[in-house]
Amino acid sequence: MTPELKVLILNAVLLGMAYFAIYPAMNIRRVMQMLPVDVLLLVLALLAAGSLFYGQGIGFSLLIFDTGSDLLTTNWFVFTVLSMALIEAPLFLWYCRKNDIDLNGGER
């Protein structure tokens, strides 16, 4: 299993838990109520990725396929943060629409 796939699976599992278990159980109704959980999940993802890849010098490709170029290669930290954001964006929009959460921070 590639390092990228390990991080992607970790992020998907954490975000799946948030959007299908934690947020519904907390009855989230405002965007700002999501922030503490999001920060905690990001810290957990970074701790897990760091424990696996810190100091190993492994390059993470930002593309699905290998171009052989170092221009789109980054470290585990940046890859974890970016992939977490990309996976979360559609989940966030879906959850807000489903639960009638105003994206401007208020309630509808």
Side-chain angles (χ1 to χ4, degrees):
M1 185 180 312
T2 66
E4 291 92 348
L5 187 57
K6 288 179 183 178
V7 172
L8 290 173
I9 290 171
L10 169 70
N11 289 349
V13 168
L14 287 172
L15 290 170
M17 287 175 26
Y19 283 93
F20 296 105
I22 298 170
Y23 292 152
M26 292 176 62
N27 197 22
I28 299 290
R29 293 290 168 215
R30 291 180 295 126
V31 171
M32 291 307 292
Q33 290 176 304
M34 300 169 107
L35 186 61
V37 175
D38 276 353
V39 170
L40 177 63
L41 293 175
L42 180 59
V43 168
L44 288 173
L46 289 170
L47 286 171
S51 70
L52 292 171
F53 305 112
Y54 179 77
Q56 293 189 13
I58 297 172
F60 287 77
S61 175
L62 293 175
L63 297 176
I64 295 172
F65 52 89
D66 187 17
T67 62
S69 171
D70 286 341
L71 291 176
L72 295 173
T73 302
T74 187
N75 63 17
W76 63 269
F77 185 91
V78 172
F79 184 84
T80 302
V81 172
L82 288 177
S83 62
M84 189 79 137
L86 288 173
I87 294 170
E88 184 168 15
L91 288 170
F92 173 77
L93 292 173
W94 166 80
Y95 187 84
C96 288
R97 285 186 188 132
K98 179 179 179 252
N99 293 288
D100 202 28
I101 297 172
D102 184 8
L103 295 178
N104 294 321
E107 288 188 60
R108 288 186 182 171

